Amino acid sequence: PVLLFVAAPYIRRYVAGGRCKSTARLEGKVVIITGANTGIGKETARDLAQRGKCSARVIIACRDIAKAEAAASEIRAETGNQQVIVKKLDLADTKSIREFAEKFLAEEKELHILINNAGVMLCPYSKTADGFEMHLGVNHLGHFLLTFLLLERLKQSAPARIVNVSSLAHHGGRIRFHDLHGEKCYNRGLAYCHSKLANVLFTRELARRLQGKFQRQAGFTANALHPGSVYSELVRHSFVMTWLWKIFSFFLKTPCEGAQTSIYCAVAEELDSVTGQYFSDCQPAYVSPRGRDDETAKKLWSVSCELLGIQWD
């Protein structure tokens, strides 16, 4: 017990991982963060809302408006930034995604940072409003469509950044094109891993398509990240994981600690021209061989467009 007491601060420091040290200011910038009513999304919004005397306009895009309004009110009170705005967005429904994008484009003339943060984990088998398996539909296809709908506004506002929150779990994923929606075989843990691999492959292919004269001159980038093992509501669909999370909370990152790499990818000056990369603890991290498979990334892009009924060349 004495040794544990002495070692505790060092253990916590190790668990906390890297911190974003950038002091970049975001005056006049417009930011969208999906799922920012709780967890690392909320902490990311809190940080970005207080960067600069005349701070960024931070749009919290969430399904649960009541929780989002409570989070926004707390952030406004703490930071003094009255431009923390809540907008309705249900990533499990493409109609909601399209309505969100339509309203945003009508109301906002610029968009500088898009953080695709929202996600579901360990859900019992279910489908989105459009018939997609829930993990794939929310974690990948929902953000794929949202990014597609907002891409031109991001280009017009460049320099701009797209930040996709993936996970170390992508190492356990594979893109099962023969059974994308888990109708033949479903495992909730693997379904999450598959969707997080999709995040990495989407980022890789998006960055490849953005490369060229425009991207180099304008600083338009797309990167993915692993936030770490964070004590949050993400495991709420699993009683066992919720129980384990509570027991081992000392060895998990706090939401604030887990948000650091998202913040880093959104603001760090040294990433102005870095794109298509994967980060953890505010530094480049190893990507699984499946996450570096360009042919799978291209095929996933094509299949995603088909499923969503869009053309994205």
Side-chain angles (χ1 to χ4, degrees), residues 224-243:
L225 66 100
H226 167 56
S229 297
V230 183
Y231 188 62
S232 71
E233 296 179 10
L234 190 60
V235 297
R236 64 188 179 276
H237 294 290
S238 169
F239 172 78
V240 173
M241 288 297 291
T242 300
W243 182 70

Side-chain angles (χ1 to χ4, degrees), residues 9 62 74 96 102 130-131 138 149 187 192 203 246 251 256 260 267 283 305 312:
C62 294
E74 179 186 318
S96 174
E102 184 180 346
D130 302 274
V138 172
L149 294 171
N187 176 287
Y192 177 72
T203 305
K246 287 181 179 179
F251 300 98
C256 181
Q260 295 304 305
V267 305
Q283 61 185 0
C305 287
W312 191 355

Side-chain angles (χ1 to χ4, degrees), residues 32-46 58-62 67-68 71-72 75 117-118:
I32 291 176
I33 309 174
T34 66
N37 63 313
T38 188
I40 65 173
K42 179 180 175 182
E43 295 306 321
T44 302
R46 191 194 309 274
V58 178
I59 296 171
I60 293 177
C62 294
K67 286 186 178 180
I75 294 171
N117 164 83

Side-chain angles (χ1 to χ4, degrees), residues 159-234:
R161 299 187 187 190
I162 298 169
V163 179
N164 294 325
V165 178
S166 180
S167 169
L168 183 68
H170 86 271
H171 285 269
R174 60 184 301 179
I175 305 302
R176 302 170 69 249
F177 290 108
H178 66 287
D179 189 25
L180 272 180
H181 303 296
E183 294 168 327
K184 297 176 182 177
C185 178
Y186 181 75
N187 176 287
R188 63 171 76 182
L190 289 177
Y192 177 72
C193 295
H194 302 334
S195 71
K196 294 290 101 179
L197 174 60
N199 293 154
V200 172
L201 291 170
F202 168 44
T203 305
R204 188 177 183 87
E205 180 63 9
L206 176 59
R208 186 188 70 80
R209 288 168 177 259
L210 292 176
Q211 281 179 344
K213 185 176 180 182
F214 172 80
Q215 188 271 330
R216 287 196 301 271
Q217 289 182 346
F220 191 8
T221 63
N223 290 298
L225 66 100
H226 167 56
S229 297
V230 183
Y231 188 62
S232 71
E233 296 179 10
L234 190 60

Side-chain angles (χ1 to χ4, degrees), residues 29 111-112 151-162 210-222 271-275:
K29 302 296 184 182
L111 175 59
H112 304 93
L151 191 70
E152 287 306 313
R153 188 56 45 89
L154 282 158
K155 283 184 177 180
Q156 295 164 8
S157 309
R161 299 187 187 190
I162 298 169
L210 292 176
Q211 281 179 344
K213 185 176 180 182
F214 172 80
Q215 188 271 330
R216 287 196 301 271
Q217 289 182 346
F220 191 8
T221 63
L271 300 186
D272 281 346
S273 60
V274 175
T275 191

Side-chain angles (χ1 to χ4, degrees), residues 95-132:
K95 182 181 177 182
S96 174
I97 298 169
R98 291 181 180 279
E99 287 176 351
F100 169 85
E102 184 180 346
K103 289 178 181 177
F104 173 84
L105 294 173
E107 296 169 1
E108 306 287 343
K109 301 307 176 188
E110 294 183 300
L111 175 59
H112 304 93
I113 302 171
L114 170 62
I115 303 179
N116 291 319
N117 164 83
V120 294
M121 181 180 181
L122 302 175
C123 298
Y125 189 76
S126 57
K127 290 186 175 182
T128 68
D130 302 274
F132 309 140

Side-chain angles (χ1 to χ4, degrees), residues 4 65 87 105 119 145 182 216 265 271 284:
L4 184 60
I65 292 296
K87 298 291 183 182
L105 294 173
L145 178 60
R216 287 196 301 271
C265 289
L271 300 186

